[in-house]
Amino acid sequence: MQRGAEALETKQRKKQEQVGKLKSFVRGGRGKLIRKVPRILLGYVSNYAFAGLPAHINWRIMLAVGILPSLFIGCALFIIPESPRWLVMQNRIDEARSVLMKTNENESEAAGNFNADKYEEKSVARELLSPPALRRMLITGFGIQCFQQITGIDATVYYSPEIFRQAGIEDKSNLLAATIAVGVTKTVFIMVAILLIDKLGRKPLLYISTIGMTICLFSLGVTLSVLGKGPVGILFAILSVCGNVAFFSVGIGPVCWVVTSEIFPLRLRAQASALGAVGNRVCSGLIAMSFLSVSDAISFGGSFFIFSAISALSVLFVYKLVPETKGKSLEQIELLFQTDDLGWKEGQVALGDVEHLVQKE
């Protein structure tokens, strides 16, 4: 009877894990990738469609079209419920329970999440900076978000027409076509990342991405500095830019959001992930605003040599500070950060999988 009970419990646990993985895919970092793919492609396609209009009209329409998604999101906010945690903090218990019942599989799961939302609030800043393990998590999460941007992806994408012009493309139609090629490359390889992230794991994709970006950025620097304008320079510039975008989109671009959503404990995940996102956006703004000024001072090629060096540093950062989180529970990930070696193989952590991440009634 005991063996039968254990077999039944194992079967039930596997079923719950499958449901949990599906929810994690939709709600977590990978769900963000799925939502991002059509948005990117539609942006490039709409710009291409409006490019044929008169010059004094087309750019206005390109900007105006961006209002439509904002209007949709604004209308959707009227039907999106408040988070259960906030409702509990406002002592609106019945509403919190109602929201949980709509977003969970059964009453027992909703009750468990409800209890989790009633935990006593602590100082998040103090808790993030106190234990060494949490400090390491914060360095990893914040660092990978910053490296995602300071390797120059926004400069490559935002200023790709200017880069191609430096390589020798003068015709506006050809410039637009090359820019669309960059957008299509980004869209395709984000789809590739979605397919590979749970097969290869997070860290192998990060290695492929950062090493590939380092090579492509160095190649682009050589192309703009040595080859100059001409058919060969144009070919290598397009290949280098599209290669850089491809390696970014298959690895550090999407994977950094997945890793950030996995490494932090549940009680600190929202605040720590938000801090990482702040670092990401600040670095993005700094790169976007300074790229042209720096390029005027040291040339476009010089800027990409710098980005290549930073990308090489990101390879070392991944090697030393980013653990493999594929197939690991929160407890296993936390144990990795309690050691000095974050590069352990998956089989070296001998903790059992956790059936429930929050306390149940």
Side-chain angles (χ1 to χ4, degrees):
M1 291 181 65
Q2 183 178 358
R3 290 182 179 178
E6 289 176 354
L8 181 62
E9 182 180 355
T10 301
K11 183 178 180 180
Q12 181 67 18
R13 187 176 71 227
K14 287 183 178 179
K15 181 179 178 181
Q16 290 175 347
E17 287 174 354
Q18 290 172 352
V19 173
K21 287 179 181 178
L22 179 61
K23 287 183 178 180
S24 175
F25 188 94
V26 175
R27 298 177 186 172
R30 283 155 286 185
K32 184 179 290 185
L33 306 189
I34 296 175
R35 297 190 294 269
K36 192 175 183 179
V37 170
R39 189 179 69 210
I40 295 170
L41 188 58
L42 286 174
Y44 283 103
V45 170
S46 65
N47 286 348
Y48 182 77
F50 298 131
L53 298 175
H56 67 286
I57 296 177
N58 58 9
W59 65 270
R60 290 182 170 89
I61 297 178
M62 291 177 186
L63 291 177
V65 167
I67 298 173
L68 299 178
S70 300
L71 289 175
F72 174 78
I73 294 172
C75 294
L77 289 175
F78 289 101
I79 60 175
I80 294 175
E82 298 285 356
S83 71
R85 182 178 293 274
W86 184 85
L87 292 171
V88 169
M89 291 175 62
Q90 302 300 314
N91 203 30
R92 293 159 62 176
I93 307 300
D94 292 336
E95 293 180 54
R97 186 179 289 108
S98 175
V99 172
L100 285 170
M101 289 298 296
K102 294 177 181 178
T103 56
N104 289 274
E105 293 292 321
N106 51 56
E107 292 187 13
S108 61
E109 186 178 356
N113 288 328
F114 182 72
N115 287 338
D117 282 333
K118 292 194 292 186
Y119 287 157
E120 180 181 358
E121 293 292 326
K122 298 180 180 179
S123 173
V124 174
R126 186 183 307 167
E127 192 169 359
L128 275 174
L129 297 176
S130 296
L134 286 176
R135 284 202 300 270
R136 289 171 180 162
M137 291 178 188
L138 193 60
I139 291 171
T140 297
F142 189 80
I144 196 171
Q145 290 280 5
C146 292
F147 268 115
Q148 188 210 51
Q149 293 299 325
I150 61 176
T151 48
I153 187 62
D154 280 351
T156 306
V157 174
Y158 294 165
Y159 300 108
S160 55
E162 192 64 31
I163 295 169
F164 294 139
R165 191 176 288 111
Q166 290 289 323
I169 301 178
E170 300 293 344
D171 183 73
K172 291 184 178 180
S173 298
N174 291 336
L175 279 174
L176 185 57
T179 303
I180 292 174
V182 173
V184 171
T185 301
K186 188 169 187 177
T187 303
V188 169
F189 280 90
I190 286 178
M191 293 297 297
V192 173
I194 293 173
L195 296 175
L196 295 180
I197 193 167
D198 280 328
K199 293 181 180 179
L200 295 182
R202 286 69 163 137
K203 202 159 184 174
L205 283 181
L206 287 173
Y207 279 137
I208 293 171
S209 175
T210 51
I211 294 172
M213 288 172 61
T214 302
I215 295 171
C216 290
L217 288 167
F218 185 81
S219 171
L220 185 57
V222 171
T223 298
L224 296 177
S225 301
V226 178
L227 296 182
K229 297 183 178 181
V232 176
I234 291 173
L235 176 62
F236 273 92
I238 293 175
L239 289 177
S240 297
V241 170
C242 289
N244 181 53
V245 170
F247 281 114
F248 174 88
S249 300
V250 84
I252 195 171
V255 173
C256 88
W257 297 103
V258 175
V259 170
T260 303
S261 71
E262 291 176 335
I263 62 176
F264 295 109
L266 289 175
R267 66 187 184 279
L268 304 172
R269 181 169 296 171
Q271 293 85 350
S273 297
L275 186 60
V278 169
N280 183 287
R281 293 296 87 199
V282 169
C283 290
S284 173
L286 290 174
I287 294 297
M289 290 187 294
S290 63
F291 175 73
L292 290 180
S293 300
V294 173
S295 297
D296 287 341
I298 64 173
S299 79
F300 274 72
S303 296
F304 285 104
F305 283 132
I306 293 175
F307 288 143
S308 178
I310 296 172
S311 184
L313 290 177
S314 72
V315 180
L316 297 177
F317 181 87
V318 170
Y319 174 73
K320 295 293 293 183
L321 294 173
V322 180
E324 177 56 73
T325 59
K326 173 191 170 185
K328 290 184 172 66
S329 67
L330 290 176
E331 281 75 7
Q332 290 174 324
I333 294 172
E334 190 167 353
L335 181 61
L336 289 176
F337 282 97
Q338 289 173 356
T339 69
D340 292 327
D341 182 13
L342 295 181
W344 286 4
K345 295 180 181 179
E346 187 171 348
Q348 287 181 279
V349 181
L351 286 178
D353 288 333
V354 179
E355 183 173 351
H356 302 290
L357 298 180
V358 295
Q359 178 183 350
K360 303 257 181 162
E361 279 188 338

